[in-house]
Short mmCIF file of all heavy atoms in Angstrom, two decimals:
data_model
loop_
_atom_site.label_atom_id
_atom_site.label_comp_id
_atom_site.label_asym_id
_atom_site.label_seq_id
_atom_site.Cartn_x
_atom_site.Cartn_y
_atom_site.Cartn_z
N MET Y 69 10.38 -7.56 15.96
CA MET Y 69 10.11 -6.39 15.14
C MET Y 69 10.76 -6.54 13.76
O MET Y 69 11.90 -6.95 13.64
CB MET Y 69 10.65 -5.11 15.81
CG MET Y 69 9.75 -4.61 16.91
SD MET Y 69 8.16 -4.09 16.26
CE MET Y 69 7.39 -3.50 17.77
N ASP Y 70 10.01 -6.19 12.77
CA ASP Y 70 10.47 -6.34 11.40
C ASP Y 70 10.43 -4.97 10.75
O ASP Y 70 9.39 -4.46 10.40
CB ASP Y 70 9.52 -7.31 10.69
CG ASP Y 70 10.01 -7.61 9.28
OD1 ASP Y 70 11.03 -7.03 8.87
OD2 ASP Y 70 9.38 -8.42 8.61
N SER Y 71 11.57 -4.35 10.63
CA SER Y 71 11.60 -2.97 10.18
C SER Y 71 12.07 -2.81 8.75
O SER Y 71 12.26 -1.71 8.27
CB SER Y 71 12.50 -2.13 11.09
OG SER Y 71 13.81 -2.64 11.03
N GLU Y 72 12.23 -3.94 8.06
CA GLU Y 72 12.71 -3.82 6.68
C GLU Y 72 11.58 -3.21 5.81
O GLU Y 72 10.41 -3.27 6.17
CB GLU Y 72 13.10 -5.19 6.14
CG GLU Y 72 11.91 -6.10 5.96
CD GLU Y 72 12.30 -7.44 5.33
OE1 GLU Y 72 12.95 -7.42 4.31
OE2 GLU Y 72 11.93 -8.47 5.91
N ILE Y 73 11.97 -2.68 4.68
CA ILE Y 73 10.99 -2.18 3.72
C ILE Y 73 10.43 -3.37 2.96
O ILE Y 73 11.19 -4.13 2.35
CB ILE Y 73 11.64 -1.16 2.75
CG1 ILE Y 73 12.13 0.05 3.53
CG2 ILE Y 73 10.65 -0.77 1.66
CD1 ILE Y 73 12.91 1.03 2.69
N LYS Y 74 9.13 -3.54 3.02
CA LYS Y 74 8.52 -4.67 2.32
C LYS Y 74 7.86 -4.19 1.04
O LYS Y 74 7.35 -3.08 0.96
CB LYS Y 74 7.47 -5.33 3.23
CG LYS Y 74 8.12 -5.98 4.44
CD LYS Y 74 7.18 -6.96 5.12
CE LYS Y 74 7.91 -7.72 6.21
NZ LYS Y 74 7.10 -8.81 6.78
N ILE Y 75 7.85 -5.08 0.07
CA ILE Y 75 7.33 -4.76 -1.26
C ILE Y 75 5.85 -5.12 -1.34
O ILE Y 75 5.43 -6.18 -0.89
CB ILE Y 75 8.13 -5.51 -2.36
CG1 ILE Y 75 9.61 -5.16 -2.27
CG2 ILE Y 75 7.55 -5.20 -3.74
CD1 ILE Y 75 9.94 -3.72 -2.58
N VAL Y 76 5.09 -4.23 -1.95
CA VAL Y 76 3.65 -4.46 -2.17
C VAL Y 76 3.46 -4.68 -3.69
O VAL Y 76 3.98 -3.90 -4.50
CB VAL Y 76 2.85 -3.23 -1.71
CG1 VAL Y 76 1.39 -3.34 -2.11
CG2 VAL Y 76 2.98 -3.07 -0.20
N ASN Y 77 2.70 -5.72 -4.03
CA ASN Y 77 2.55 -6.08 -5.44
C ASN Y 77 1.14 -5.87 -6.00
O ASN Y 77 0.89 -6.22 -7.14
CB ASN Y 77 2.96 -7.53 -5.64
CG ASN Y 77 4.46 -7.69 -5.54
OD1 ASN Y 77 5.20 -7.07 -6.30
ND2 ASN Y 77 4.92 -8.50 -4.60
N ALA Y 78 0.24 -5.32 -5.18
CA ALA Y 78 -1.12 -5.12 -5.68
C ALA Y 78 -1.67 -3.81 -5.14
O ALA Y 78 -1.46 -3.46 -3.98
CB ALA Y 78 -2.03 -6.28 -5.25
N ILE Y 79 -2.37 -3.09 -6.01
CA ILE Y 79 -3.01 -1.83 -5.66
C ILE Y 79 -4.52 -2.03 -5.85
O ILE Y 79 -4.95 -2.54 -6.89
CB ILE Y 79 -2.52 -0.69 -6.58
CG1 ILE Y 79 -1.00 -0.52 -6.48
CG2 ILE Y 79 -3.24 0.62 -6.24
CD1 ILE Y 79 -0.41 0.34 -7.59
N TYR Y 80 -5.30 -1.60 -4.87
CA TYR Y 80 -6.76 -1.72 -4.94
C TYR Y 80 -7.35 -0.32 -4.93
O TYR Y 80 -6.66 0.67 -4.70
CB TYR Y 80 -7.27 -2.49 -3.73
CG TYR Y 80 -6.80 -3.93 -3.66
CD1 TYR Y 80 -5.55 -4.21 -3.12
CD2 TYR Y 80 -7.59 -4.96 -4.13
CE1 TYR Y 80 -5.09 -5.52 -3.06
CE2 TYR Y 80 -7.14 -6.28 -4.06
CZ TYR Y 80 -5.90 -6.56 -3.53
OH TYR Y 80 -5.45 -7.85 -3.45
N LYS Y 81 -8.65 -0.27 -5.15
CA LYS Y 81 -9.33 1.01 -5.08
C LYS Y 81 -10.59 0.86 -4.24
O LYS Y 81 -11.28 -0.17 -4.29
CB LYS Y 81 -9.71 1.48 -6.49
CG LYS Y 81 -9.91 2.99 -6.55
CD LYS Y 81 -9.97 3.49 -7.97
CE LYS Y 81 -9.94 5.02 -7.97
NZ LYS Y 81 -10.13 5.55 -9.33
N ASP Y 82 -10.87 1.89 -3.45
CA ASP Y 82 -12.08 1.92 -2.64
C ASP Y 82 -12.64 3.31 -2.76
O ASP Y 82 -12.07 4.27 -2.24
CB ASP Y 82 -11.72 1.58 -1.18
CG ASP Y 82 -12.94 1.55 -0.29
OD1 ASP Y 82 -14.05 1.32 -0.81
OD2 ASP Y 82 -12.80 1.79 0.93
N GLY Y 83 -13.77 3.43 -3.45
CA GLY Y 83 -14.29 4.76 -3.72
C GLY Y 83 -13.28 5.52 -4.58
O GLY Y 83 -12.82 5.00 -5.58
N GLY Y 84 -12.91 6.71 -4.16
CA GLY Y 84 -11.94 7.47 -4.93
C GLY Y 84 -10.51 7.29 -4.45
O GLY Y 84 -9.60 7.93 -4.95
N ASP Y 85 -10.33 6.42 -3.46
CA ASP Y 85 -9.01 6.26 -2.87
C ASP Y 85 -8.34 4.98 -3.33
O ASP Y 85 -8.99 3.94 -3.43
CB ASP Y 85 -9.12 6.20 -1.33
CG ASP Y 85 -9.63 7.51 -0.75
OD1 ASP Y 85 -9.18 8.57 -1.22
OD2 ASP Y 85 -10.45 7.44 0.16
N TYR Y 86 -7.06 5.06 -3.54
CA TYR Y 86 -6.28 3.85 -3.78
C TYR Y 86 -5.86 3.27 -2.43
O TYR Y 86 -5.55 4.00 -1.49
CB TYR Y 86 -5.05 4.17 -4.62
CG TYR Y 86 -5.39 4.43 -6.06
CD1 TYR Y 86 -5.50 5.73 -6.55
CD2 TYR Y 86 -5.65 3.37 -6.92
CE1 TYR Y 86 -5.85 5.97 -7.87
CE2 TYR Y 86 -6.00 3.59 -8.24
CZ TYR Y 86 -6.10 4.89 -8.71
OH TYR Y 86 -6.46 5.12 -10.00
N MET Y 87 -5.91 1.95 -2.37
CA MET Y 87 -5.65 1.25 -1.12
C MET Y 87 -4.62 0.14 -1.37
O MET Y 87 -4.60 -0.45 -2.45
CB MET Y 87 -6.92 0.53 -0.61
CG MET Y 87 -8.14 1.40 -0.53
SD MET Y 87 -8.31 2.21 1.06
CE MET Y 87 -8.57 0.84 2.18
N ILE Y 88 -3.83 -0.11 -0.36
CA ILE Y 88 -2.98 -1.30 -0.41
C ILE Y 88 -3.12 -2.01 0.93
O ILE Y 88 -3.61 -1.44 1.91
CB ILE Y 88 -1.48 -0.93 -0.64
CG1 ILE Y 88 -0.99 0.03 0.43
CG2 ILE Y 88 -1.30 -0.36 -2.05
CD1 ILE Y 88 0.49 0.32 0.34
N GLU Y 89 -2.70 -3.24 0.94
CA GLU Y 89 -2.71 -4.03 2.18
C GLU Y 89 -1.30 -3.93 2.77
O GLU Y 89 -0.33 -4.28 2.12
CB GLU Y 89 -3.06 -5.48 1.83
CG GLU Y 89 -4.03 -6.11 2.79
CD GLU Y 89 -4.44 -7.49 2.33
OE1 GLU Y 89 -4.37 -7.80 1.12
OE2 GLU Y 89 -4.84 -8.27 3.20
N CYS Y 90 -1.23 -3.45 3.98
CA CYS Y 90 0.08 -3.32 4.61
C CYS Y 90 0.74 -4.70 4.74
O CYS Y 90 0.16 -5.63 5.31
CB CYS Y 90 -0.06 -2.69 6.00
SG CYS Y 90 1.50 -2.63 6.89
N PRO Y 91 1.94 -4.85 4.20
CA PRO Y 91 2.60 -6.17 4.24
C PRO Y 91 3.15 -6.51 5.62
O PRO Y 91 3.58 -7.63 5.85
CB PRO Y 91 3.73 -6.02 3.22
CG PRO Y 91 4.02 -4.57 3.20
CD PRO Y 91 2.73 -3.86 3.48
N HIS Y 92 3.12 -5.55 6.52
CA HIS Y 92 3.59 -5.84 7.88
C HIS Y 92 2.48 -6.40 8.75
O HIS Y 92 2.65 -7.36 9.47
CB HIS Y 92 4.14 -4.56 8.54
CG HIS Y 92 5.36 -4.03 7.86
ND1 HIS Y 92 6.63 -4.43 8.16
CD2 HIS Y 92 5.49 -3.08 6.88
CE1 HIS Y 92 7.51 -3.77 7.41
NE2 HIS Y 92 6.83 -2.96 6.62
N CYS Y 93 1.32 -5.75 8.69
CA CYS Y 93 0.24 -6.12 9.62
C CYS Y 93 -1.03 -6.59 8.93
O CYS Y 93 -1.94 -7.08 9.57
CB CYS Y 93 -0.10 -4.94 10.53
SG CYS Y 93 -0.85 -3.55 9.69
N GLY Y 94 -1.13 -6.42 7.59
CA GLY Y 94 -2.29 -6.92 6.87
C GLY Y 94 -3.49 -5.99 6.86
O GLY Y 94 -4.52 -6.31 6.27
N GLU Y 95 -3.39 -4.83 7.50
CA GLU Y 95 -4.48 -3.85 7.51
C GLU Y 95 -4.48 -3.06 6.20
O GLU Y 95 -3.43 -2.88 5.58
CB GLU Y 95 -4.33 -2.87 8.68
CG GLU Y 95 -4.42 -3.52 10.05
CD GLU Y 95 -5.83 -3.97 10.37
OE1 GLU Y 95 -6.78 -3.23 10.05
OE2 GLU Y 95 -5.98 -5.06 10.92
N TRP Y 96 -5.65 -2.55 5.83
CA TRP Y 96 -5.74 -1.69 4.66
C TRP Y 96 -5.21 -0.31 4.99
O TRP Y 96 -5.40 0.18 6.11
CB TRP Y 96 -7.20 -1.56 4.22
CG TRP Y 96 -7.76 -2.79 3.62
CD1 TRP Y 96 -8.65 -3.65 4.21
CD2 TRP Y 96 -7.47 -3.37 2.35
NE1 TRP Y 96 -8.91 -4.69 3.37
CE2 TRP Y 96 -8.20 -4.55 2.22
CE3 TRP Y 96 -6.64 -2.97 1.29
CZ2 TRP Y 96 -8.15 -5.34 1.08
CZ3 TRP Y 96 -6.57 -3.77 0.16
CH2 TRP Y 96 -7.33 -4.95 0.06
N MET Y 97 -4.59 0.30 4.04
CA MET Y 97 -4.21 1.70 4.21
C MET Y 97 -4.40 2.43 2.87
O MET Y 97 -4.27 1.87 1.80
CB MET Y 97 -2.76 1.84 4.70
CG MET Y 97 -1.71 1.33 3.73
SD MET Y 97 -0.02 1.61 4.31
CE MET Y 97 0.25 3.30 3.84
N ILE Y 98 -4.77 3.69 2.98
CA ILE Y 98 -4.96 4.54 1.81
C ILE Y 98 -3.60 5.07 1.38
O ILE Y 98 -2.79 5.47 2.22
CB ILE Y 98 -5.91 5.70 2.13
CG1 ILE Y 98 -7.32 5.16 2.38
CG2 ILE Y 98 -5.92 6.74 1.02
CD1 ILE Y 98 -8.29 6.19 2.93
N VAL Y 99 -3.36 5.08 0.09
CA VAL Y 99 -2.13 5.68 -0.43
C VAL Y 99 -2.50 6.88 -1.31
O VAL Y 99 -3.48 6.84 -2.05
CB VAL Y 99 -1.27 4.68 -1.22
CG1 VAL Y 99 -0.66 3.66 -0.27
CG2 VAL Y 99 -2.05 3.97 -2.30
N GLU Y 100 -1.74 7.93 -1.17
CA GLU Y 100 -1.98 9.15 -1.93
C GLU Y 100 -1.49 8.94 -3.37
O GLU Y 100 -0.43 8.36 -3.60
CB GLU Y 100 -1.21 10.32 -1.32
CG GLU Y 100 -1.60 10.63 0.11
CD GLU Y 100 -3.00 11.20 0.21
OE1 GLU Y 100 -3.44 11.84 -0.78
OE2 GLU Y 100 -3.62 11.04 1.25
N GLY Y 101 -2.26 9.47 -4.30
CA GLY Y 101 -1.84 9.38 -5.69
C GLY Y 101 -3.04 9.49 -6.61
O GLY Y 101 -4.13 9.06 -6.25
N ASP Y 102 -2.84 10.11 -7.76
CA ASP Y 102 -3.95 10.32 -8.69
C ASP Y 102 -4.20 9.09 -9.56
O ASP Y 102 -5.32 8.88 -10.04
CB ASP Y 102 -3.65 11.51 -9.62
CG ASP Y 102 -3.65 12.81 -8.82
OD1 ASP Y 102 -4.37 12.87 -7.79
OD2 ASP Y 102 -2.97 13.76 -9.23
N ASP Y 103 -3.20 8.28 -9.76
CA ASP Y 103 -3.39 7.07 -10.55
C ASP Y 103 -2.30 6.07 -10.15
O ASP Y 103 -1.38 6.37 -9.38
CB ASP Y 103 -3.35 7.36 -12.06
CG ASP Y 103 -2.07 8.09 -12.45
OD1 ASP Y 103 -0.99 7.68 -12.02
OD2 ASP Y 103 -2.20 9.08 -13.20
N THR Y 104 -2.45 4.84 -10.67
CA THR Y 104 -1.55 3.78 -10.24
C THR Y 104 -0.10 4.05 -10.65
O THR Y 104 0.82 3.65 -9.96
CB THR Y 104 -1.99 2.42 -10.82
OG1 THR Y 104 -2.16 2.56 -12.24
CG2 THR Y 104 -3.30 1.97 -10.21
N GLU Y 105 0.06 4.77 -11.76
CA GLU Y 105 1.43 5.07 -12.19
C GLU Y 105 2.16 5.93 -11.18
O GLU Y 105 3.38 5.85 -11.00
CB GLU Y 105 1.44 5.76 -13.56
CG GLU Y 105 1.28 4.81 -14.72
CD GLU Y 105 2.27 3.65 -14.67
OE1 GLU Y 105 3.48 3.90 -14.52
OE2 GLU Y 105 1.83 2.49 -14.72
N GLU Y 106 1.39 6.80 -10.51
CA GLU Y 106 1.99 7.67 -9.50
C GLU Y 106 2.36 6.89 -8.24
O GLU Y 106 3.28 7.27 -7.52
CB GLU Y 106 0.98 8.77 -9.15
CG GLU Y 106 1.59 10.13 -8.95
CD GLU Y 106 0.54 11.18 -8.71
OE1 GLU Y 106 -0.15 11.55 -9.67
OE2 GLU Y 106 0.38 11.62 -7.54
N ILE Y 107 1.62 5.84 -7.98
CA ILE Y 107 1.81 5.07 -6.75
C ILE Y 107 2.93 4.04 -6.90
O ILE Y 107 3.67 3.78 -5.95
CB ILE Y 107 0.48 4.38 -6.38
CG1 ILE Y 107 -0.56 5.46 -6.00
CG2 ILE Y 107 0.66 3.39 -5.25
CD1 ILE Y 107 -1.98 4.97 -5.95
N ARG Y 108 3.05 3.48 -8.09
CA ARG Y 108 4.10 2.48 -8.32
C ARG Y 108 5.48 3.10 -8.09
O ARG Y 108 5.77 4.20 -8.55
CB ARG Y 108 4.02 1.94 -9.74
CG ARG Y 108 2.84 1.01 -9.97
CD ARG Y 108 2.88 0.37 -11.34
NE ARG Y 108 1.72 -0.48 -11.54
CZ ARG Y 108 0.73 -0.19 -12.40
NH1 ARG Y 108 0.77 0.91 -13.12
NH2 ARG Y 108 -0.30 -1.03 -12.52
N GLY Y 109 6.30 2.37 -7.37
CA GLY Y 109 7.66 2.82 -7.12
C GLY Y 109 7.78 3.75 -5.92
O GLY Y 109 8.90 4.11 -5.54
N GLU Y 110 6.63 4.12 -5.31
CA GLU Y 110 6.67 5.02 -4.17
C GLU Y 110 6.87 4.23 -2.88
O GLU Y 110 6.46 3.08 -2.76
CB GLU Y 110 5.37 5.82 -4.07
CG GLU Y 110 5.22 6.88 -5.12
CD GLU Y 110 6.26 8.00 -4.96
OE1 GLU Y 110 6.41 8.50 -3.84
OE2 GLU Y 110 6.91 8.32 -5.95
N GLN Y 111 7.42 4.92 -1.89
CA GLN Y 111 7.55 4.34 -0.56
C GLN Y 111 6.56 5.05 0.36
O GLN Y 111 6.36 6.24 0.28
CB GLN Y 111 8.98 4.51 -0.02
CG GLN Y 111 9.95 3.63 -0.77
CD GLN Y 111 11.35 3.65 -0.15
OE1 GLN Y 111 11.63 4.45 0.71
NE2 GLN Y 111 12.20 2.78 -0.63
N TYR Y 112 5.96 4.25 1.22
CA TYR Y 112 5.00 4.77 2.20
C TYR Y 112 5.34 4.18 3.54
O TYR Y 112 6.02 3.17 3.66
CB TYR Y 112 3.57 4.36 1.82
CG TYR Y 112 3.11 4.89 0.49
CD1 TYR Y 112 3.28 4.14 -0.67
CD2 TYR Y 112 2.49 6.13 0.39
CE1 TYR Y 112 2.86 4.62 -1.90
CE2 TYR Y 112 2.08 6.61 -0.85
CZ TYR Y 112 2.26 5.86 -1.98
OH TYR Y 112 1.84 6.33 -3.19
N VAL Y 113 4.78 4.81 4.58
CA VAL Y 113 4.89 4.22 5.92
C VAL Y 113 3.49 4.08 6.47
O VAL Y 113 2.66 5.00 6.35
CB VAL Y 113 5.81 5.04 6.84
CG1 VAL Y 113 5.25 6.44 7.10
CG2 VAL Y 113 6.07 4.32 8.14
N HIS Y 114 3.20 2.92 7.01
CA HIS Y 114 1.90 2.68 7.62
C HIS Y 114 1.95 3.13 9.06
O HIS Y 114 2.50 2.46 9.93
CB HIS Y 114 1.55 1.17 7.53
CG HIS Y 114 0.19 0.88 8.04
ND1 HIS Y 114 -0.14 -0.31 8.62
CD2 HIS Y 114 -0.93 1.63 8.03
CE1 HIS Y 114 -1.42 -0.27 8.97
NE2 HIS Y 114 -1.91 0.89 8.63
N THR Y 115 1.36 4.30 9.32
CA THR Y 115 1.54 4.91 10.63
C THR Y 115 0.75 4.19 11.72
O THR Y 115 1.05 4.35 12.90
CB THR Y 115 1.11 6.39 10.60
OG1 THR Y 115 -0.19 6.49 10.01
CG2 THR Y 115 2.08 7.21 9.77
N ASP Y 116 -0.27 3.41 11.32
CA ASP Y 116 -1.07 2.69 12.34
C ASP Y 116 -0.45 1.34 12.68
O ASP Y 116 -1.01 0.60 13.47
CB ASP Y 116 -2.48 2.46 11.82
CG ASP Y 116 -3.25 3.76 11.70
OD1 ASP Y 116 -2.86 4.73 12.39
OD2 ASP Y 116 -4.21 3.82 10.92
N CYS Y 117 0.64 1.05 12.05
CA CYS Y 117 1.26 -0.28 12.20
C CYS Y 117 1.72 -0.53 13.63
O CYS Y 117 2.19 0.37 14.30
CB CYS Y 117 2.45 -0.36 11.26
SG CYS Y 117 2.48 -1.85 10.30
N ASP Y 118 1.60 -1.79 14.01
CA ASP Y 118 2.20 -2.19 15.29
C ASP Y 118 3.69 -1.93 15.25
O ASP Y 118 4.30 -1.55 16.24
CB ASP Y 118 1.93 -3.67 15.57
CG ASP Y 118 0.47 -3.91 15.85
OD1 ASP Y 118 -0.23 -2.96 16.22
OD2 ASP Y 118 0.03 -5.05 15.70
N ASP Y 119 4.25 -2.21 14.11
CA ASP Y 119 5.65 -1.88 13.88
C ASP Y 119 5.70 -0.42 13.42
O ASP Y 119 5.30 -0.08 12.32
CB ASP Y 119 6.22 -2.79 12.78
CG ASP Y 119 7.68 -2.50 12.51
OD1 ASP Y 119 8.20 -1.49 13.05
OD2 ASP Y 119 8.31 -3.27 11.78
N ALA Y 120 6.17 0.45 14.30
CA ALA Y 120 6.15 1.89 14.02
C ALA Y 120 7.02 2.24 12.82
O ALA Y 120 6.92 3.32 12.26
CB ALA Y 120 6.61 2.68 15.24
N ARG Y 121 7.84 1.29 12.41
CA ARG Y 121 8.68 1.52 11.24
C ARG Y 121 8.14 0.73 10.07
O ARG Y 121 8.87 0.06 9.36
CB ARG Y 121 10.12 1.13 11.54
CG ARG Y 121 10.73 1.99 12.64
CD ARG Y 121 11.95 1.34 13.22
NE ARG Y 121 11.60 0.10 13.91
CZ ARG Y 121 12.47 -0.71 14.48
NH1 ARG Y 121 13.75 -0.43 14.46
NH2 ARG Y 121 12.06 -1.81 15.07
N GLY Y 122 6.82 0.80 9.89
CA GLY Y 122 6.17 -0.01 8.88
C GLY Y 122 6.35 0.51 7.46
O GLY Y 122 5.39 0.83 6.77
N TRP Y 123 7.58 0.56 7.03
CA TRP Y 123 7.88 1.05 5.70
C TRP Y 123 7.57 0.01 4.64
O TRP Y 123 7.80 -1.18 4.84
CB TRP Y 123 9.35 1.45 5.58
CG TRP Y 123 9.61 2.81 6.16
CD1 TRP Y 123 10.05 3.07 7.42
CD2 TRP Y 123 9.44 4.07 5.52
NE1 TRP Y 123 10.15 4.42 7.60
CE2 TRP Y 123 9.78 5.07 6.44
CE3 TRP Y 123 9.01 4.44 4.24
CZ2 TRP Y 123 9.72 6.42 6.14
CZ3 TRP Y 123 8.95 5.78 3.94
CH2 TRP Y 123 9.31 6.76 4.89
N LEU Y 124 7.06 0.50 3.54
CA LEU Y 124 6.77 -0.40 2.42
C LEU Y 124 7.02 0.36 1.13
O LEU Y 124 7.06 1.58 1.09
CB LEU Y 124 5.31 -0.89 2.50
CG LEU Y 124 4.26 0.21 2.59
CD1 LEU Y 124 3.70 0.54 1.23
CD2 LEU Y 124 3.18 -0.18 3.56
N GLU Y 125 7.19 -0.42 0.07
CA GLU Y 125 7.38 0.16 -1.24
C GLU Y 125 6.47 -0.54 -2.22
O GLU Y 125 6.40 -1.77 -2.23
CB GLU Y 125 8.84 0.03 -1.68
CG GLU Y 125 9.10 0.62 -3.05
CD GLU Y 125 10.58 0.60 -3.43
OE1 GLU Y 125 11.42 0.75 -2.53
OE2 GLU Y 125 10.86 0.41 -4.62
N VAL Y 126 5.74 0.24 -3.00
CA VAL Y 126 4.90 -0.35 -4.03
C VAL Y 126 5.78 -0.67 -5.24
O VAL Y 126 6.47 0.21 -5.75
CB VAL Y 126 3.75 0.61 -4.43
CG1 VAL Y 126 2.89 -0.01 -5.51
CG2 VAL Y 126 2.90 0.97 -3.20
N ALA Y 127 5.74 -1.92 -5.65
CA ALA Y 127 6.62 -2.36 -6.74
C ALA Y 127 6.31 -1.60 -8.03
O ALA Y 127 5.16 -1.21 -8.28
CB ALA Y 127 6.44 -3.85 -6.99
N ASP Y 128 7.34 -1.40 -8.83
CA ASP Y 128 7.15 -0.77 -10.16
C ASP Y 128 6.17 -1.57 -11.01
O ASP Y 128 5.53 -1.05 -11.90
CB ASP Y 128 8.50 -0.70 -10.90
CG ASP Y 128 9.44 0.30 -10.26
OD1 ASP Y 128 8.94 1.24 -9.62
OD2 ASP Y 128 10.65 0.15 -10.40
N THR Y 129 6.11 -2.88 -10.72
CA THR Y 129 5.29 -3.78 -11.53
C THR Y 129 3.99 -4.15 -10.82
O THR Y 129 3.28 -5.07 -11.25
CB THR Y 129 6.08 -5.08 -11.79
OG1 THR Y 129 6.54 -5.58 -10.54
CG2 THR Y 129 7.29 -4.81 -12.67
N ALA Y 130 3.67 -3.45 -9.72
CA ALA Y 130 2.44 -3.79 -8.98
C ALA Y 130 1.22 -3.74 -9.90
O ALA Y 130 1.08 -2.85 -10.70
CB ALA Y 130 2.25 -2.83 -7.80
N ARG Y 131 0.35 -4.74 -9.75
CA ARG Y 131 -0.84 -4.77 -10.61
C ARG Y 131 -1.99 -4.04 -9.93
O ARG Y 131 -2.06 -3.96 -8.70
CB ARG Y 131 -1.24 -6.22 -10.90
CG ARG Y 131 -1.79 -6.94 -9.69
CD ARG Y 131 -1.81 -8.46 -9.88
NE ARG Y 131 -2.05 -9.10 -8.58
CZ ARG Y 131 -3.26 -9.38 -8.11
NH1 ARG Y 131 -4.34 -9.13 -8.82
NH2 ARG Y 131 -3.40 -9.92 -6.92
N TYR Y 132 -2.89 -3.53 -10.76
CA TYR Y 132 -4.12 -2.98 -10.25
C TYR Y 132 -5.10 -4.12 -10.07
O TYR Y 132 -5.46 -4.80 -11.02
CB TYR Y 132 -4.68 -1.92 -11.20
CG TYR Y 132 -6.03 -1.41 -10.74
CD1 TYR Y 132 -6.17 -0.77 -9.51
CD2 TYR Y 132 -7.18 -1.62 -11.52
CE1 TYR Y 132 -7.40 -0.34 -9.08
CE2 TYR Y 132 -8.41 -1.16 -11.09
CZ TYR Y 132 -8.51 -0.53 -9.87
OH TYR Y 132 -9.75 -0.12 -9.45
N ALA Y 133 -5.51 -4.36 -8.84
CA ALA Y 133 -6.24 -5.58 -8.52
C ALA Y 133 -7.73 -5.35 -8.31
O ALA Y 133 -8.44 -6.21 -7.79
CB ALA Y 133 -5.62 -6.22 -7.27
N GLY Y 134 -8.23 -4.17 -8.67
CA GLY Y 134 -9.66 -3.94 -8.62
C GLY Y 134 -10.13 -3.35 -7.31
O GLY Y 134 -9.35 -2.91 -6.48
N ARG Y 135 -11.43 -3.37 -7.14
CA ARG Y 135 -12.02 -2.73 -5.97
C ARG Y 135 -11.96 -3.60 -4.75
O ARG Y 135 -12.05 -4.83 -4.85
CB ARG Y 135 -13.48 -2.35 -6.26
CG ARG Y 135 -13.56 -1.32 -7.37
CD ARG Y 135 -14.89 -0.60 -7.41
NE ARG Y 135 -14.77 0.58 -8.25
CZ ARG Y 135 -14.44 1.79 -7.82
NH1 ARG Y 135 -14.25 2.00 -6.52
NH2 ARG Y 135 -14.34 2.80 -8.63
N VAL Y 136 -11.85 -2.97 -3.60
CA VAL Y 136 -11.89 -3.69 -2.34
C VAL Y 136 -13.31 -4.21 -2.16
O VAL Y 136 -14.27 -3.47 -2.34
CB VAL Y 136 -11.53 -2.74 -1.18
CG1 VAL Y 136 -11.69 -3.44 0.15
CG2 VAL Y 136 -10.10 -2.22 -1.34
N ALA Y 137 -13.45 -5.47 -1.86
CA ALA Y 137 -14.77 -6.08 -1.67
C ALA Y 137 -15.47 -5.43 -0.49
O ALA Y 137 -14.85 -5.16 0.53
CB ALA Y 137 -14.64 -7.56 -1.47
N ALA Y 138 -16.75 -5.19 -0.63
CA ALA Y 138 -17.52 -4.60 0.46
C ALA Y 138 -17.54 -5.57 1.63
O ALA Y 138 -17.60 -6.79 1.45
CB ALA Y 138 -18.95 -4.33 -0.01
N GLU Y 139 -17.49 -5.02 2.83
CA GLU Y 139 -17.46 -5.88 4.03
C GLU Y 139 -18.86 -6.37 4.36
O GLU Y 139 -19.82 -5.68 4.14
CB GLU Y 139 -16.89 -5.07 5.19
CG GLU Y 139 -15.42 -4.83 5.02
CD GLU Y 139 -14.82 -4.05 6.21
OE1 GLU Y 139 -15.52 -3.89 7.23
OE2 GLU Y 139 -13.67 -3.60 6.10
ZN1 LIG M 206 0.81 -2.04 8.97
#
């Protein structure tokens, strides 16, 4: 089990939602926020994570990496 807070360096968008890739399990998760500035520096927990303590922090310097590619 890896319960440390992991840093996220990229923010994506899917429709109207901002998305990040969980650094613990690699799944997509939606993050609340009106724009990337609001999301940078915030801490979130991925509740669907295998690691129930899936804490992560979006880096202050995280880049906006564009739209999530359609599946
Ligand atoms: Zn996760």
